Amino acid sequence: MNEITIRRPDDWHLHFRDDAMMRAVVPYTARQFARAIVMPNLTPPVTTAAMAAAYRERILAAVPEGIDFTPLMTCYLTDNTDADDLARGFADGVFTAAKLYPAGATTNSDSGVTDVAKIMGVLERMAEAGMPLCVHGEVTSADIDVFDREAVFIDRVLAPLVGRLPELKVIFEHITTAEAVQFVDGAGDNIGATITPQHLHINRNAILVGGIRPHAYCLPVAKRETHRLALRKAATSGSARYFLGTDSAPHTREAKENACGCAGIFNAPYAIESYVTVFDEEGALGHFEGFASENGPRFYGLPLNEGTVTLRKAPVAVPEAFDAAGASVVPFHAGETLGWSLV
Ligand code: NCD
Ligand code: ZN
């Protein structure tokens, strides 16, 4: 197959940032996706419906003329989240989901939740309302190896939470391990997972072999090859539990190429091309539309998009860097040629 046409896809996990960086990166996503679940880890974080409504306006103002793109907003949960504001924001259509960052797990997560027990009342309200919970699934204890943090999170936090609130819709985001795939496969229909392009393409060697390569570093960190293979199998399996979520997370070159480089990979410019390459390599182009355009909205209970996009087997060269807000941002696949292009 040299060309496929699919229903317009969505990105179910994305960082736009704010201000000049946001204005620079929004067009890359809007070029490919009809909707995106926008992460709330700004400084300060998006913790109220009023903040989310204002942020949504700023994003919409950055969408290029003539492009129809809908940002879907999330609430950054803290130990002090106001359950009434959250429920009202969801009922009013401001919030699509809420985001659980274990405090200290990743970029701008310092105000995150210190113990899930502290927000059990909020989570019960969400379960009643049918409001989905997006989860960054890593424990943060200093004694847990960074490569084990996702697997330990399943045992210590996620499995008990799902047992306690069996109705809650949970998206286990940007999964990186065979353990996560096993958990999702064995869970109920209220558990979904997103998978990023980088975790389908690279394993941890890409970060550490031949020198430290900061542009391949994100959280959860890429794991060993067996895990990458498990993720490719899950994503391309046709299971409705798995859907597209890029976790595109722009940081300036200076912030990445640093003695303490930030976590996050900027993959927005060629995300759909990156994903379809994987499905082609796995002989699973027939499952691409489900992963990119159907499984996500069905899980969230949202309508499927109208319209289509076409991808063609034709090379596209990914630039070494993009200019954003007067700074340089290095994308995923920088300097590589991908085999598929968005027509
Ligand atoms: C994200 C960011 O930079 O905001 N970084 C990342 O490595 N993925 C935060 C996140 O989703 O963990
Ligand atoms: Zn993210």
Side-chain angles (χ1 to χ4, degrees):
M1 226 192 300
N2 289 318
E3 191 174 288
I4 61 166
T5 296
I6 59 167
R7 190 184 286 278
R8 269 185 93 197
D10 304 300
D11 183 350
W12 298 95
H13 180 126
L14 174 67
H15 302 269
F16 270 149
R17 314 304 189 202
D18 209 347
D19 304 317
M21 179 65 91
M22 177 203 68
R23 289 191 288 275
V25 302
V26 162
Y28 298 119
T29 292
R31 175 183 79 92
Q32 303 162 58
F33 299 107
R35 295 170 291 197
I37 287 276
V38 179
M39 287 297 127
N41 61 332
L42 306 182
T43 30
V46 179
T47 50
T48 66
M51 291 173 89
Y55 184 32
R56 179 166 66 183
E57 289 311 310
R58 297 198 294 281
I59 295 167
L60 285 171
V63 175
E65 196 82 30
I67 292 186
D68 154 40
F69 173 78
T70 305
L72 303 173
M73 310 311 290
T74 56
C75 179
Y76 185 117
L77 297 176
T78 71
D79 287 353
N80 303 311
T81 294
D82 176 349
D84 292 329
D85 181 70
L86 184 72
R88 214 171 322 135
F90 181 61
D92 292 346
V94 175
F95 288 133
T96 299
K99 171 72 186 237
L100 168 60
Y101 286 107
T106 186
T107 307
N108 292 341
S109 64
D110 291 349
S111 323
V113 174
T114 58
D115 182 347
V116 168
K118 294 196 175 161
I119 58 161
M120 202 48 76
V122 170
L123 298 178
E124 282 165 3
R125 282 286 287 279
M126 289 177 62
E128 278 163 30
M131 182 175 190
L133 177 70
C134 300
V135 176
H136 183 107
E138 289 190 286
V139 293
T140 56
S141 339
D143 60 319
I144 304 296
D145 189 282
V146 71
F147 291 101
D148 296 335
R149 288 181 173 196
E150 183 174 281
V152 172
F153 183 87
I154 297 170
D155 294 339
R156 289 195 186 168
V157 183
L158 192 56
L161 174 62
V162 168
R164 165 118 190 229
L165 295 175
E167 307 294 312
L168 183 65
K169 273 194 204 183
V170 177
I171 301 100
F172 192 178
E173 299 190 284
H174 41 50
I175 59 168
T176 62
T177 58
E179 287 89 342
V181 169
Q182 199 183 359
F183 177 80
V184 173
D185 283 344
D189 286 340
N190 58 318
I191 309 300
T194 55
I195 306 181
T196 75
Q198 57 266 23
H199 294 112
L200 296 171
H201 279 280
I202 64 170
N203 62 34
R204 62 196 194 178
N205 282 10
I207 309 166
L208 295 169
V209 171
I212 291 184
R213 300 176 192 277
H215 298 292
Y217 173 61
C218 68
L219 286 171
V221 69
K223 309 297 191 296
R224 60 169 70 238
E225 179 66 359
T226 47
H227 297 289
R228 185 182 77 100
L229 295 177
L231 296 169
R232 284 173 76 103
K233 198 167 163 219
T236 61
S237 66
S239 165
R241 303 265 167 96
Y242 300 100
F243 36 95
L244 187 159
T246 63
D247 195 18
S248 181
H251 293 277
T252 63
R253 182 193 287 275
E254 289 66 35
K256 295 287 292 175
E257 298 176 9
N258 191 291
C260 185
C262 291
I265 293 179
F266 177 54
N267 59 32
Y270 293 96
I272 200 77
E273 294 89 337
S274 179
Y275 278 114
V276 74
T277 301
V278 170
F279 278 71
D280 187 21
E281 287 165 359
E282 295 291 326
L285 286 174
H287 289 156
F288 189 55
E289 184 170 33
F291 179 80
S293 315
E294 295 173 348
N295 301 346
R298 287 199 178 119
F299 185 89
Y300 273 85
L302 295 171
L304 303 189
N305 295 316
E306 300 295 331
T308 58
V309 297
T310 296
L311 289 144
R312 186 172 299 152
K313 214 165 187 171
V316 59
V318 179
E320 294 285 355
F322 286 85
D323 182 67
S328 173
V329 181
V330 177
F332 187 46
H333 298 299
E336 293 173 23
T337 297
L338 292 168
W340 285 78
S341 308
L342 183 61
V343 177

